[in-house]
Amino acid sequence: MISKNFGEEIKTARMYNKLTIREAAKRMGLSHSYLSQIENNKRSIPSPEVIKKISVGLNTDYYYLLSVAGYNNEAYKTLSFLNKLIDEAPEEFKIDFMKKHDPHIRKLIENRRKLNDKLPNPEVSIRFPSTFFINAEVHDYLRLMRLNKKLSNKEMAEKLGIKEEQYIKMESKMTYSSLELEQYSTRLGEIFGVEEFKDWLLFVFTETPNQNFVDDYTPEDVMKEITVTVPSVVKKYDSDGKVFFQSYNEDQLRQNFSKLEHILSDDRLLTYYGRVLTSKDKQKILRMMEILFE
């Protein structure tokens, strides 16, 4: 399948970033001829993996490019749903949030109210989306979605089977590590139409530039352990070019694991922007590091 819109979108993004075909292709880890064929609609739509490389190279939203390419992507739909929530947030919610997180807006609102409490605040809606993405916490999302559904605190409490006072407290203090989020995640997801509420929040926090989440999450929430094996006997060459074998005990292996010369050893497959590093590439990196730290 060839999409004229996709090629034009890539070309527009590249020109906006003031990149030549070769410069952009290098940042993506692709050949310049391949990128040129995509832009000129002479190649079929790339795989999602290649589109990911393109989005990184052009600093463009991955899910947006997937949508332009014609992929039926659920993640992009989720972000579209979130943008709709933010656009339709009640004015009172926007003002309260902006007064808390944007000192400039707070000062404007206060000064206008002194003059006339009916004066509008157009800056609120303009700056609200970016401010919300950066600063919103779990309880902010909970309140936003409740208001979007036009549910009162009492109605939410009834749906969760708890007292109204308990819900009000939960909405004001809930974090990603709260026991209440774990306990009511499924039910909240059903109420808001996002399946598991906690999983939806994790997706939102990892796909938006949210700073609060960085300080709030526990590693177990978003990290997965991967086992890496390393050889305990390594083939080496002495100064005369003769081969010898170096063996390491467990403590030495642990120390070696983080040493750059072991990370760049020939038996490890390493890539940089999609390009596999050769033995010569690795030796160049080591020499450069030696010069830098002399």
PDB file of all heavy atoms in Angstrom, residues 20 26 33 38 65 75 80 90 105 135 149 168 175 217 230 236 243 245:
ATOM      1  N   THR A  20      18.404  17.969   5.451  1.00  0.00           N
ATOM      2  CA  THR A  20      18.497  17.393   4.121  1.00  0.00           C
ATOM      3  C   THR A  20      18.075  15.930   4.207  1.00  0.00           C
ATOM      4  O   THR A  20      17.942  15.368   5.299  1.00  0.00           O
ATOM      5  CB  THR A  20      19.933  17.472   3.578  1.00  0.00           C
ATOM      6  OG1 THR A  20      20.778  16.636   4.396  1.00  0.00           O
ATOM      7  CG2 THR A  20      20.452  18.900   3.605  1.00  0.00           C
ATOM      8  N   LYS A  26      20.243   9.817   8.321  1.00  0.00           N
ATOM      9  CA  LYS A  26      21.269   9.449   9.305  1.00  0.00           C
ATOM     10  C   LYS A  26      20.691   9.434  10.704  1.00  0.00           C
ATOM     11  O   LYS A  26      20.965   8.523  11.499  1.00  0.00           O
ATOM     12  CB  LYS A  26      22.446  10.418   9.219  1.00  0.00           C
ATOM     13  CG  LYS A  26      23.609  10.032  10.125  1.00  0.00           C
ATOM     14  CD  LYS A  26      24.789  10.991   9.929  1.00  0.00           C
ATOM     15  CE  LYS A  26      25.948  10.581  10.832  1.00  0.00           C
ATOM     16  NZ  LYS A  26      27.121  11.497  10.658  1.00  0.00           N
ATOM     17  N   SER A  33      18.425   6.936   0.229  1.00  0.00           N
ATOM     18  CA  SER A  33      17.658   6.568  -0.963  1.00  0.00           C
ATOM     19  C   SER A  33      16.282   6.016  -0.571  1.00  0.00           C
ATOM     20  O   SER A  33      15.267   6.308  -1.225  1.00  0.00           O
ATOM     21  CB  SER A  33      18.419   5.536  -1.797  1.00  0.00           C
ATOM     22  OG  SER A  33      18.685   4.374  -1.030  1.00  0.00           O
ATOM     23  N   ILE A  38      10.328   7.020   0.025  1.00  0.00           N
ATOM     24  CA  ILE A  38       9.126   7.164   0.859  1.00  0.00           C
ATOM     25  C   ILE A  38       8.492   8.537   0.628  1.00  0.00           C
ATOM     26  O   ILE A  38       7.281   8.653   0.424  1.00  0.00           O
ATOM     27  CB  ILE A  38       9.474   6.988   2.354  1.00  0.00           C
ATOM     28  CG1 ILE A  38       9.830   5.533   2.663  1.00  0.00           C
ATOM     29  CG2 ILE A  38       8.297   7.424   3.229  1.00  0.00           C
ATOM     30  CD1 ILE A  38      10.267   5.302   4.085  1.00  0.00           C
ATOM     31  N   LEU A  65       1.959   9.685  13.169  1.00  0.00           N
ATOM     32  CA  LEU A  65       2.460   9.133  11.909  1.00  0.00           C
ATOM     33  C   LEU A  65       1.819   7.784  11.600  1.00  0.00           C
ATOM     34  O   LEU A  65       1.531   7.478  10.443  1.00  0.00           O
ATOM     35  CB  LEU A  65       3.983   8.994  11.957  1.00  0.00           C
ATOM     36  CG  LEU A  65       4.798  10.292  11.929  1.00  0.00           C
ATOM     37  CD1 LEU A  65       6.285   9.983  11.876  1.00  0.00           C
ATOM     38  CD2 LEU A  65       4.398  11.173  10.755  1.00  0.00           C
ATOM     39  N   ALA A  75      -3.297   2.905  20.646  1.00  0.00           N
ATOM     40  CA  ALA A  75      -2.596   3.867  21.494  1.00  0.00           C
ATOM     41  C   ALA A  75      -2.859   5.295  21.019  1.00  0.00           C
ATOM     42  O   ALA A  75      -3.074   6.199  21.824  1.00  0.00           O
ATOM     43  CB  ALA A  75      -1.091   3.577  21.489  1.00  0.00           C
ATOM     44  N   SER A  80      -5.915  10.550  21.533  1.00  0.00           N
ATOM     45  CA  SER A  80      -6.959  11.389  20.965  1.00  0.00           C
ATOM     46  C   SER A  80      -8.081  11.566  21.970  1.00  0.00           C
ATOM     47  O   SER A  80      -8.636  12.662  22.122  1.00  0.00           O
ATOM     48  CB  SER A  80      -7.499  10.769  19.670  1.00  0.00           C
ATOM     49  OG  SER A  80      -6.495  10.692  18.697  1.00  0.00           O
ATOM     50  N   PRO A  90     -14.209  21.469  32.021  1.00  0.00           N
ATOM     51  CA  PRO A  90     -14.957  22.655  32.466  1.00  0.00           C
ATOM     52  C   PRO A  90     -14.023  23.832  32.749  1.00  0.00           C
ATOM     53  O   PRO A  90     -12.898  23.638  33.207  1.00  0.00           O
ATOM     54  CB  PRO A  90     -15.636  22.163  33.755  1.00  0.00           C
ATOM     55  CG  PRO A  90     -15.687  20.685  33.625  1.00  0.00           C
ATOM     56  CD  PRO A  90     -14.447  20.300  32.869  1.00  0.00           C
ATOM     57  N   ILE A 105      -0.536  33.042  35.010  1.00  0.00           N
ATOM     58  CA  ILE A 105      -1.988  33.004  34.805  1.00  0.00           C
ATOM     59  C   ILE A 105      -2.715  33.378  36.088  1.00  0.00           C
ATOM     60  O   ILE A 105      -3.714  34.109  36.072  1.00  0.00           O
ATOM     61  CB  ILE A 105      -2.434  31.607  34.335  1.00  0.00           C
ATOM     62  CG1 ILE A 105      -1.917  31.339  32.919  1.00  0.00           C
ATOM     63  CG2 ILE A 105      -3.956  31.475  34.368  1.00  0.00           C
ATOM     64  CD1 ILE A 105      -2.514  32.209  31.851  1.00  0.00           C
ATOM     65  N   ASN A 135       2.083  18.762  34.500  1.00  0.00           N
ATOM     66  CA  ASN A 135       1.907  18.821  35.951  1.00  0.00           C
ATOM     67  C   ASN A 135       0.817  17.929  36.535  1.00  0.00           C
ATOM     68  O   ASN A 135       0.771  17.753  37.755  1.00  0.00           O
ATOM     69  CB  ASN A 135       1.610  20.266  36.361  1.00  0.00           C
ATOM     70  CG  ASN A 135       2.754  21.209  36.052  1.00  0.00           C
ATOM     71  OD1 ASN A 135       3.756  21.224  36.752  1.00  0.00           O
ATOM     72  ND2 ASN A 135       2.608  21.992  35.001  1.00  0.00           N
ATOM     73  N   LYS A 149     -17.633  13.241  32.673  1.00  0.00           N
ATOM     74  CA  LYS A 149     -18.819  12.371  32.692  1.00  0.00           C
ATOM     75  C   LYS A 149     -20.007  13.035  33.382  1.00  0.00           C
ATOM     76  O   LYS A 149     -21.081  12.439  33.491  1.00  0.00           O
ATOM     77  CB  LYS A 149     -18.486  11.059  33.412  1.00  0.00           C
ATOM     78  CG  LYS A 149     -17.576  10.126  32.651  1.00  0.00           C
ATOM     79  CD  LYS A 149     -18.304   9.493  31.484  1.00  0.00           C
ATOM     80  CE  LYS A 149     -17.440   8.466  30.777  1.00  0.00           C
ATOM     81  NZ  LYS A 149     -18.152   7.833  29.644  1.00  0.00           N
ATOM     82  N   ILE A 168     -14.238  11.781  48.181  1.00  0.00           N
ATOM     83  CA  ILE A 168     -13.691  13.142  48.111  1.00  0.00           C
ATOM     84  C   ILE A 168     -12.222  13.149  48.535  1.00  0.00           C
ATOM     85  O   ILE A 168     -11.375  13.788  47.903  1.00  0.00           O
ATOM     86  CB  ILE A 168     -14.513  14.101  49.000  1.00  0.00           C
ATOM     87  CG1 ILE A 168     -15.917  14.269  48.412  1.00  0.00           C
ATOM     88  CG2 ILE A 168     -13.816  15.446  49.138  1.00  0.00           C
ATOM     89  CD1 ILE A 168     -16.867  15.057  49.286  1.00  0.00           C
ATOM     90  N   THR A 175      -2.503   8.887  44.306  1.00  0.00           N
ATOM     91  CA  THR A 175      -1.265   8.844  43.526  1.00  0.00           C
ATOM     92  C   THR A 175      -1.195   7.496  42.811  1.00  0.00           C
ATOM     93  O   THR A 175      -2.029   6.624  43.021  1.00  0.00           O
ATOM     94  CB  THR A 175      -0.027   8.997  44.426  1.00  0.00           C
ATOM     95  OG1 THR A 175       0.075   7.842  45.275  1.00  0.00           O
ATOM     96  CG2 THR A 175      -0.128  10.256  45.281  1.00  0.00           C
ATOM     97  N   TYR A 217       6.266   7.052  40.639  1.00  0.00           N
ATOM     98  CA  TYR A 217       6.134   5.630  40.346  1.00  0.00           C
ATOM     99  C   TYR A 217       7.164   4.792  41.091  1.00  0.00           C
ATOM    100  O   TYR A 217       8.194   5.275  41.540  1.00  0.00           O
ATOM    101  CB  TYR A 217       6.265   5.397  38.831  1.00  0.00           C
ATOM    102  CG  TYR A 217       7.701   5.255  38.350  1.00  0.00           C
ATOM    103  CD1 TYR A 217       8.267   4.002  38.199  1.00  0.00           C
ATOM    104  CD2 TYR A 217       8.477   6.368  38.067  1.00  0.00           C
ATOM    105  CE1 TYR A 217       9.577   3.863  37.776  1.00  0.00           C
ATOM    106  CE2 TYR A 217       9.783   6.232  37.644  1.00  0.00           C
ATOM    107  CZ  TYR A 217      10.319   4.981  37.494  1.00  0.00           C
ATOM    108  OH  TYR A 217      11.612   4.855  37.073  1.00  0.00           O
ATOM    109  N   VAL A 230      27.007 -13.198  30.340  1.00  0.00           N
ATOM    110  CA  VAL A 230      28.326 -12.740  29.891  1.00  0.00           C
ATOM    111  C   VAL A 230      29.315 -13.903  29.993  1.00  0.00           C
ATOM    112  O   VAL A 230      29.226 -14.728  30.907  1.00  0.00           O
ATOM    113  CB  VAL A 230      28.835 -11.557  30.748  1.00  0.00           C
ATOM    114  CG1 VAL A 230      27.987 -10.338  30.498  1.00  0.00           C
ATOM    115  CG2 VAL A 230      28.824 -11.897  32.222  1.00  0.00           C
ATOM    116  N   LYS A 236      41.730 -13.092  24.163  1.00  0.00           N
ATOM    117  CA  LYS A 236      42.438 -11.828  24.074  1.00  0.00           C
ATOM    118  C   LYS A 236      43.756 -11.992  23.306  1.00  0.00           C
ATOM    119  O   LYS A 236      44.154 -13.115  22.986  1.00  0.00           O
ATOM    120  CB  LYS A 236      42.718 -11.272  25.473  1.00  0.00           C
ATOM    121  CG  LYS A 236      41.481 -10.801  26.211  1.00  0.00           C
ATOM    122  CD  LYS A 236      41.868 -10.042  27.472  1.00  0.00           C
ATOM    123  CE  LYS A 236      40.649  -9.416  28.108  1.00  0.00           C
ATOM    124  NZ  LYS A 236      41.008  -8.588  29.291  1.00  0.00           N
ATOM    125  N   VAL A 243      47.534 -15.165  20.966  1.00  0.00           N
ATOM    126  CA  VAL A 243      46.236 -15.395  21.595  1.00  0.00           C
ATOM    127  C   VAL A 243      46.415 -15.978  22.995  1.00  0.00           C
ATOM    128  O   VAL A 243      47.268 -16.831  23.221  1.00  0.00           O
ATOM    129  CB  VAL A 243      45.387 -16.366  20.745  1.00  0.00           C
ATOM    130  CG1 VAL A 243      44.071 -16.698  21.452  1.00  0.00           C
ATOM    131  CG2 VAL A 243      45.113 -15.778  19.372  1.00  0.00           C
ATOM    132  N   PHE A 245      43.749 -16.718  26.762  1.00  0.00           N
ATOM    133  CA  PHE A 245      42.387 -16.702  27.293  1.00  0.00           C
ATOM    134  C   PHE A 245      42.386 -16.192  28.728  1.00  0.00           C
ATOM    135  O   PHE A 245      43.154 -16.666  29.568  1.00  0.00           O
ATOM    136  CB  PHE A 245      41.768 -18.098  27.220  1.00  0.00           C
ATOM    137  CG  PHE A 245      41.532 -18.562  25.811  1.00  0.00           C
ATOM    138  CD1 PHE A 245      42.516 -19.255  25.111  1.00  0.00           C
ATOM    139  CD2 PHE A 245      40.334 -18.275  25.176  1.00  0.00           C
ATOM    140  CE1 PHE A 245      42.301 -19.668  23.812  1.00  0.00           C
ATOM    141  CE2 PHE A 245      40.117 -18.684  23.871  1.00  0.00           C
ATOM    142  CZ  PHE A 245      41.097 -19.384  23.184  1.00  0.00           C
TER     143      PHE A 245
END
